[in-house]
Amino acid sequence: MNDRLMKQVLAKLCGMSTIIIMLAVLIFFAVVNGMDGINFLASENLSVIVNQASFLVIVGIGQAIVILTGGINLSMGAVMAFSSVLCGGMLLKESNMFIGVPIVLVLLTGAATGLLNGVMITKLNIPPFIATFAMMYTCRGLAWVYLRNRVLYPLNESFRQIAMGRLFKIGGFTVTVPMLIAFLALLLFFWLLRFTNFGRKVYFTGANPVAAKFSGIQTDRLLIIVYIISSMLAAFAGMMYVARLNACEPGLATKTHFEAITVSLIGGFAMSGGYGNIWGVAGGAVVVYTIQAGMNSLQMPSELQTLVNGFLIIMAVFMNQGLINRKMQLENDLSEELTEQKRRKRESES
């Protein structure tokens, strides 16, 4: 009984892997910065980290739901650039266009690219890596062809509030509009994936696509919908990024798709599909920006930051995946023990 209880406790702790890693990274940089007399855990600094992470949460959710199905979306950064560039003229300060029109057009552009990704994967049987990789180059190229070497700025001030708006302060911690948007997106997709048939189908398809298909799930349609949602989230994130930059340019978000994958993996999602909790995306985003903020506060040279950033992210992903595998192993052991207990009970009763 004690052994079983210990396994249950360990499984619970391993299930909190993202929180453990996030706290470890925060404590590490707090100690290192503290040696230089810097209060890394100051409310103002934490507010900046969470605000920056909020942008990546939106892209991370889009990547996470694709990873849940066992796929990957490498076109997210390019979709962010292409959709915002295509409608950038309507977002300019001097434009008289109602701000809702370009926002809808940006989302529709994202949906169209997601539809193309889904069709290539399901109907043309192109692997997700190749299909989205090709879409990445296509969207990025179209953005450069459409805008050439121009940069569109300044943007409409009311539109910029989705990235720059501030709501209220709690002590030194400023709650911003991006934080609210990220939180609402997390709530929405937590409900969608946990409490709806669509969410259960996504998990089932990712865990065993063949069994899902034979059980009556229209997996092709499901995957197309997932890629549409993913690209729409990328397009929305693109609007947030250009609103923060106050400019539209085709070189936007060149590394964001990799950051989104990193956030998902640190957040506890398995590349094989069928496993992950959407709240882990928030923890993964905080980890990524804590590492960047920690190195910036230490005034590390940019080339050294790239090296250290890569090493720390590898370590974070390695630790998280190890803890997740351990949790799954413990849960399997507990399930087998419970099955064995039931079998013995039936035998003793008979």
Side-chain angles (χ1 to χ4, degrees):
M1 187 66 180
N2 288 334
D3 182 52
R4 181 174 176 78
L5 182 60
M6 182 61 71
K7 285 183 179 179
Q8 288 174 337
V9 172
L10 285 173
K12 288 287 184 184
L13 287 173
C14 290
M16 298 168 64
S17 56
T18 303
I19 296 174
I20 292 169
I21 291 169
M22 183 174 65
L23 291 174
V25 171
L26 280 168
I27 292 168
F28 171 77
F29 280 108
V31 172
V32 173
N33 281 273
M35 294 176 181
D36 286 346
I38 302 170
N39 184 7
F40 187 73
L41 298 180
S43 300
E44 294 82 0
N45 193 45
L46 292 177
S47 176
V48 171
I49 291 172
V50 175
N51 184 63
Q52 296 293 330
S54 299
F55 292 83
L56 193 51
V57 165
I58 304 300
V59 194
I61 293 172
Q63 190 67 258
I65 60 171
V66 170
I67 289 175
L68 272 178
T69 66
I72 197 167
N73 189 354
L74 296 179
S75 65
M76 298 195 77
V79 170
M80 290 169 65
F82 174 59
S83 58
S84 58
V85 159
L86 193 64
C87 306
M90 292 180 276
L91 295 172
L92 290 173
K93 195 171 185 178
E94 64 264 22
S95 174
N96 295 319
M97 180 76 68
F98 171 61
I99 200 65
V101 175
I103 290 175
V104 171
L105 289 175
V106 166
L107 294 175
L108 288 175
T109 304
T113 57
L115 175 64
L116 289 173
N117 277 333
V119 168
M120 285 192 291
I121 292 163
T122 59
K123 304 304 180 185
L124 302 182
N125 295 319
I126 300 174
F129 183 91
I130 302 299
T132 58
F133 188 69
M135 184 60 70
M136 176 183 73
Y137 274 100
T138 302
C139 287
R140 187 70 68 182
L142 286 170
W144 280 108
V145 168
Y146 181 77
L147 207 57
R148 299 189 183 276
N149 291 323
R150 293 182 297 138
V151 176
L152 301 176
Y153 72 96
L155 303 184
N156 188 305
E157 286 301 321
S158 59
F159 165 73
R160 293 194 68 210
Q161 292 306 303
I162 65 170
M164 305 301 293
R166 297 183 177 186
L167 299 174
F168 55 88
K169 270 193 170 187
I170 304 174
F173 190 96
T174 304
V175 178
T176 63
V177 172
M179 291 182 198
L180 177 62
I181 292 172
F183 179 69
L184 292 175
L186 287 166
L187 273 181
L188 172 63
F189 280 91
F190 174 72
W191 170 80
L192 190 67
L193 293 171
R194 180 63 67 88
F195 299 109
T196 67
N197 285 330
F198 172 78
R200 286 186 281 273
K201 288 176 182 178
V202 168
Y203 275 99
F204 189 14
T205 300
N208 195 328
V210 176
K213 196 166 189 174
F214 278 109
S215 69
I217 296 174
Q218 296 181 331
T219 54
D220 285 359
R221 187 173 71 176
L222 182 73
L223 288 175
I224 289 172
I225 292 171
V226 165
Y227 278 93
I228 288 174
I229 293 172
S230 176
S231 292
M232 286 182 74
L233 285 168
F236 185 80
M239 287 192 290
M240 292 179 69
Y241 273 73
V242 298
R244 182 176 65 178
L245 293 172
N246 196 25
C248 296
E249 56 102 6
L252 174 76
T254 54
K255 300 177 182 177
T256 305
H257 50 289
F258 291 122
E259 291 177 340
I261 295 169
T262 302
V263 163
S264 299
L265 293 179
I266 295 175
F269 287 81
M271 287 298 292
S272 56
Y275 187 89
N277 187 320
I278 205 69
W279 291 104
V281 172
V286 170
V287 168
V288 168
Y289 276 103
T290 298
I291 292 171
Q292 291 185 11
M295 291 188 295
N296 286 335
S297 63
L298 292 172
Q299 298 181 343
M300 283 189 183
S302 58
E303 60 274 12
L304 186 58
Q305 281 196 27
T306 303
L307 175 63
V308 174
N309 191 42
F311 174 75
L312 289 177
I313 287 173
I314 288 171
M315 289 300 297
V317 171
F318 175 75
M319 286 174 60
N320 197 47
Q321 295 300 305
L323 289 169
I324 287 170
N325 290 335
R326 180 59 177 158
K327 176 179 180 284
M328 294 172 72
Q329 183 184 347
L330 288 167
E331 287 177 343
N332 287 335
D333 290 345
L334 289 167
S335 178
E336 288 175 2
E337 287 176 9
L338 185 60
T339 304
E340 181 64 20
Q341 285 178 4
K342 289 180 179 178
R343 186 185 66 79
R344 289 177 181 175
K345 186 177 180 180
R346 285 196 301 268
E347 287 179 351
S348 63
E349 288 175 352
S350 61

